[in-house]
Amino acid sequence: KESNSFLIHPIDVSNTLNSPKSSKHRQKKRKMVHQKVLALAAATVVAVNGFAPPSISISQSRHVLSAATLDTPPPLAPLTVWGDKLNDIREVHSKLNSEPAPEFAPEVSAKSLGLDTTEQQLQYVKDNAFELKQRMQECGAVIFRDFELMKTQDGFQEFYAALGMKVCLDPLHSVSARPTVDGKKNSPVYEAVNKESRKNFFIGMHNEFVGTRAPRAAAFVCFKAAEKGGEFLIADGRKMFRDLSPQLVEELYNRGIRYSVMELPFFGWVENLPGPLKEPVMGALQGAASAAINAKVDFDVSLQWRDDGYDDAKVLQARAPAQKPIVIHPVTGDPTWFCNVHSHSSKLRKERESVYGAERFEDGASRINKSDMFFGDDGDISEAALKEMDDVTYKNMKYVKMTEGDVVLLDNYKCMHGRNVFDGTRKHGVAWFEGWEGEEEMKAAQQTAKGGASAMKKQPAPFFATEV
């Protein structure tokens, strides 16, 4: 936690060092400063540890989850699969824009199908599991409406177990602790940002990933809808890629992108240190914080000093490794936008504050978890580029008003998600999946389909209603 005592002492000591004392006395004071810097570095480590629970072994057993809470945690979220590099991103972009737009987010209605009981609904999911998952990966998402089955957590878990979805840990596991819906340890259903304190926080569009890990799929469920707002937001990453200008796509793809994933805002006092002490103190703090953070995450994080924190105070900003903003879908091979600029850009979030009110970043974990986005070479992204990405995101955003029991099953590589602001009480949950039963069969069929008629040609599916 942030300690006010550490904020006071360096300023007092700097004044003491500048007073006319004897040489021997100044040396003694400098030794005291050194000791306090070490103490502050240790406190920084404690602060970082407080927001980074211990990770678990990746070798833990993998299995499909039943409706019960597990005695042991599920496996970590899988490593992100980026796919082969595209040698000519403009050519790919142009080719896709000459083709018809793909189908996105069809609906399945229990009422339209005449599925009146939870038993009928569960049997339907079991009988059509392969087709439903195939539609999810082809169309990016499937929206389930009017199901009594998923109005409870047990029913929701029965639903995705019947589909054959393989549960994994929340990708935030190594850097934060997202609460579970039922409050139980190892529960596979997490809260989907329902806190009253975050109701005016518009969650920008993003794919779920942290560092080098990303779930393959997710299921978002509504247990209680907010009285006003709170819509679940989705966007097709394939369409996002098509709608961005070829110039911007090329620059972003060639330079890559990089996220700042954390800011340590405890260091405004550093500016008040005497010149000879300032640089070594900053180096010691940077080294201590870097060691603490990298010991807790399974991806490389580098720390940089910035002067644009709260009230223009000095902060240590943690940046994840550079990556591409576009992935090649691991099954269908579609190039898809996989970039969280809409949720991570500090500038875009500040613009939303003028509409929805200021985000509550003044203290605690939220202040530490402040994020931003840059080019992969650490260059700043221009306001014009940010505006274009923002405009294209809003153009493709779909508001899904969910009611109790509704579920959005989505392919995390193709479908971005977010959440609108709300009033009242909202209770939504999410389960993350490392994959699903039949995924390898789908991959094999996709490979067979290359160069000829698709072996997985879409069949008429009377159990689907219209698109959102």
Side-chain angles (χ1 to χ4, degrees):
K1 300 291 185 180
E2 183 175 348
S3 172
N4 290 332
S5 62
F6 284 116
L7 300 184
I8 296 170
H9 287 318
I11 298 175
D12 294 341
V13 169
S14 68
N15 291 334
T16 302
L17 286 169
N18 290 325
S19 64
K21 299 285 185 180
S22 68
S23 175
K24 184 176 179 180
H25 193 69
R26 284 196 297 270
Q27 288 176 1
K28 182 178 179 181
K29 290 296 184 181
R30 285 193 175 93
K31 184 176 179 180
M32 292 173 58
V33 171
H34 179 69
Q35 291 172 341
K36 291 181 180 185
V37 167
L38 291 177
L40 180 57
T44 300
V45 172
V46 171
V48 171
N49 288 344
F51 295 98
S55 60
I56 64 171
S57 170
I58 194 171
S59 62
Q60 288 175 314
S61 60
R62 295 166 177 261
H63 51 271
V64 179
L65 204 68
S66 69
T69 299
L70 291 178
D71 293 330
T72 57
L76 294 171
L79 295 173
T80 308
V81 180
W82 297 98
D84 295 333
K85 181 181 178 180
L86 299 172
N87 293 323
D88 192 337
I89 190 72
R90 280 205 183 207
E91 181 181 359
V92 173
H93 185 264
S94 176
K95 182 176 182 298
L96 286 177
N97 272 299
S98 67
E99 299 174 357
E103 183 182 5
F104 180 59
E107 289 191 6
V108 179
S109 168
K111 185 182 297 184
S112 297
L113 295 168
L115 305 173
D116 299 323
T117 68
T118 57
E119 291 79 9
Q120 290 175 328
Q121 293 166 8
L122 185 60
Q123 191 61 49
Y124 164 80
V125 174
K126 291 178 179 177
D127 292 343
N128 295 279
F130 187 85
E131 290 79 9
L132 290 167
K133 290 178 290 190
Q134 185 173 317
R135 291 286 276 166
M136 172 198 69
Q137 76 156 14
E138 287 179 348
C139 303
V142 176
I143 302 171
F144 294 84
R145 300 279 195 189
D146 311 314
F147 280 76
E148 287 289 324
L149 175 66
M150 291 89 84
K151 287 186 175 182
T152 66
Q153 180 170 333
D154 283 346
F156 173 57
Q157 292 181 244
E158 287 182 309
F159 160 77
Y160 65 67
L163 278 173
M165 305 303 291
K166 300 178 181 179
V167 172
C168 66
L169 281 170
D170 183 352
L172 284 171
H173 173 79
S174 66
V175 295
S176 185
R178 194 194 306 257
T180 57
V181 167
D182 59 11
K184 295 179 181 178
K185 182 180 179 181
N186 299 334
S187 176
V189 183
Y190 298 90
E191 289 270 359
V193 196
N194 302 310
K195 291 181 179 179
E196 192 276 337
S197 62
R198 305 298 277 164
K199 67 182 183 181
N200 73 322
F201 176 35
F202 184 101
I203 301 177
M205 303 305 290
H206 62 284
N207 303 93
E208 202 70 28
F209 67 93
V210 176
T212 58
R213 297 187 178 277
R216 278 289 287 108
F220 289 83
V221 60
C222 173
F223 295 126
K224 181 189 179 301
E227 282 73 8
K228 181 179 179 182
E231 293 90 348
F232 187 62
L233 310 175
I234 56 176
D236 189 342
R238 299 164 298 175
K239 193 68 168 55
M240 286 281 302
F241 171 66
R242 294 179 183 212
D243 289 349
L244 290 166
S245 68
Q247 297 86 357
L248 181 56
V249 166
E250 184 176 49
E251 183 178 23
L252 288 166
Y253 191 74
N254 289 338
R255 293 180 66 179
I257 57 172
R258 193 176 190 191
Y259 301 102
S260 66
V261 294
M262 178 188 293
E263 283 191 359
L264 300 177
F266 316 131
F267 305 114
W269 55 268
V270 171
E271 295 291 356
N272 296 311
L273 290 174
L277 284 177
K278 187 174 180 180
E279 187 172 337
V281 167
M282 290 173 64
L285 293 170
Q286 187 173 2
S290 179
I293 293 171
N294 280 289
K296 287 295 182 181
V297 299
D298 57 1
F299 57 95
D300 293 330
V301 173
S302 65
L303 268 65
Q304 301 182 15
W305 285 104
R306 302 275 292 189
D307 293 318
D308 53 359
Y310 296 93
D311 300 322
D312 293 322
K314 192 172 288 294
V315 298
L316 265 176
Q317 188 179 79
R319 296 192 182 186
Q323 60 192 50
K324 297 295 183 185
I326 295 157
V327 295
I328 307 303
H329 191 275
V331 176
T332 64
D334 297 314
T336 181
W337 183 246
F338 197 77
C339 176
N340 291 352
V341 62
H342 195 251
S343 63
H344 279 51
S345 167
S346 177
K347 181 180 187 303
L348 296 182
R349 287 199 313 273
K350 286 179 180 178
E351 288 179 354
R352 292 195 288 267
E353 286 182 8
S354 64
V355 179
Y356 303 113
E359 296 182 40
R360 303 183 185 184
F361 275 143
E362 287 79 13
D363 56 72
S366 293
R367 186 175 178 186
I368 285 180
N369 291 336
K370 183 182 176 184
S371 63
D372 209 344
M373 195 182 98
F374 307 87
F375 280 114
D377 54 17
D378 287 321
D380 290 331
I381 298 174
S382 70
E383 290 192 11
L386 288 172
K387 184 180 186 307
E388 179 179 341
M389 288 185 279
D390 193 42
D391 289 346
V392 171
T393 301
Y394 278 112
K395 173 185 174 183
N396 286 281
M397 190 185 298
K398 290 182 180 292
Y399 285 68
V400 182
K401 184 63 177 178
M402 299 172 70
T403 58
E404 288 77 1
D406 287 353
V407 170
V408 178
L409 179 69
L410 60 83
D411 185 318
N412 188 45
Y413 281 69
K414 283 187 178 179
C415 183
M416 310 182 78
H417 63 276
R419 192 220 65 199
N420 192 17
V421 298
F422 68 93
D423 283 325
T425 305
R426 182 182 189 270
K427 193 73 171 179
H428 285 225
V430 59
W432 308 106
F433 309 116
E434 63 170 345
W436 54 84
E437 293 178 345
E439 186 177 8
E440 291 304 315
E441 184 180 348
M442 293 180 187
K443 289 180 182 178
Q446 190 71 28
Q447 290 297 320
T448 303
K450 284 185 177 180
S454 173
M456 296 175 67
K457 184 176 180 182
K458 185 167 60 179
Q459 299 297 320
F463 47 86
F464 283 101
T466 58
E467 188 176 331
V468 178

